[in-house]
Amino acid sequence: MVKKQKILAALTIGQSPRDDITRDILPLLPPDVKVREYGALDDWTEAEVAARCSFSEGDEILISRMRGGGQARFTARFIIPLVQAKIDQAEREGADATILFCTGAFPPFHHRKIFLEPEPIFHAVAEKLADGQKIGVIVPLPEQIPQARAIWKKSGVEIAAAAASPYLESEKVRSAGQSFSGQKLAFIVLDCMGFSAEMKHAVQEAGGFPVILPRTLVVRILSELFT
């Protein structure tokens, strides 16, 4: 019996396509799954994002890669309606499931089909695996460290934190991993979908701890549903 092809919508909060993500996830998907890419900022330029997005104290700050290879910086409240619009579009165009390629914390999105939001999934996995131990967390921006501490605390996990952008300073990701060397940690989490499998291995080697990579974690879960 020939299995019906499944359509997976890969939704980034920046711009598509994201070849840096798909090269890590495609080998993990069943052969009958076709990936369609969507970007919340596909219709925006970096200049438009900078002009339209204002920042206030307490905002959750997010970054994502733009099509030209640069990064855009914006708030969660700015991107939420744009993400919702792309979820709606993907489902109209036949997606059987959607993965949000962002580890930020969001309010619930409306969806009719399977929707995987990484943050609650990998926080739950990390909390269980940590079992009361401290973990290392790498985020893209230094200003994201306080919000990371607060978000992980809500999940019941104490963290040591470092920052390195996977988009503009990938060479510093290894150094961020090395900064955890000698600490008493259960493992390290790369807390952004921009971090690649190659960066995971570099951090693991530099820090000396196991490393959780959210982009491959959530795709492995989805593969279980589609296999």
Side-chain angles (χ1 to χ4, degrees):
M1 180 179 174
V2 178
K3 294 178 67 176
K4 179 184 175 183
Q5 185 181 63
K6 298 289 187 181
I7 304 298
L8 170 63
L11 172 53
T12 174
I13 61 172
Q15 291 182 331
S16 64
R18 288 294 301 270
D19 296 340
D20 60 314
I21 292 180
T22 55
R23 68 169 170 256
D24 281 342
I25 70 168
L26 288 177
L28 303 178
L29 291 168
D32 59 328
V33 174
K34 178 181 179 180
V35 174
R36 290 180 184 163
E37 296 189 63
Y38 297 84
L41 296 177
D42 277 350
D43 303 321
W44 293 66
T45 66
E46 289 183 52
E48 287 171 336
V49 174
R52 295 281 297 275
C53 181
S54 60
F55 296 86
S56 301
E57 186 177 352
D59 280 335
E60 182 179 1
I61 307 302
L62 302 171
I63 70 166
S64 190
R65 198 185 80 167
M66 300 295 274
R67 196 171 292 114
Q71 69 181 25
R73 177 176 175 271
F74 42 83
T75 64
R77 58 186 169 83
F78 171 81
I79 207 67
I80 285 169
L82 303 180
V83 170
Q84 183 63 65
K86 291 299 180 179
I87 295 171
D88 296 341
Q89 179 186 346
E91 292 190 344
R92 285 196 308 270
E93 294 176 354
D96 296 290
T98 300
I99 291 182
L100 178 62
F101 280 102
C102 177
T103 60
F106 297 100
F109 289 104
H110 303 290
H111 56 93
R112 295 178 293 105
K113 301 294 181 69
I114 296 169
F115 179 70
L116 272 76
E117 186 178 341
E119 192 264 355
I121 295 173
F122 89 88
H123 272 240
V125 170
E127 188 274 334
K128 189 66 176 177
L129 292 177
D131 195 24
Q133 299 178 77
K134 194 175 187 178
I135 69 170
V137 173
I138 300 178
V139 293
L141 302 172
E143 56 262 44
Q144 290 178 311
I145 290 178
Q147 70 188 32
R149 293 188 192 281
I151 291 171
W152 280 98
K153 185 176 181 180
K154 288 181 182 179
S155 297
V157 182
E158 183 184 1
I159 70 168
S165 172
Y167 306 121
L168 299 184
E169 50 185 15
S170 58
E171 72 281 358
K172 294 184 180 179
V173 175
R174 182 183 181 89
S175 297
Q178 194 168 22
S179 71
F180 296 123
S181 181
Q183 297 189 47
K184 190 175 181 180
L185 304 174
F187 49 83
I188 296 171
V189 168
L190 301 183
D191 199 349
C192 174
M193 282 294 190
F195 293 112
S196 67
E198 183 179 357
M199 294 174 192
K200 169 184 174 173
H201 298 316
V203 169
Q204 194 165 6
E205 183 180 288
F209 297 100
V211 178
I212 294 178
L213 186 65
R215 67 166 62 166
T216 49
L217 173 65
V218 294
V219 169
R220 291 180 197 278
I221 292 171
L222 183 70
S223 293
E224 180 67 20
L225 293 173
F226 278 175
T227 301

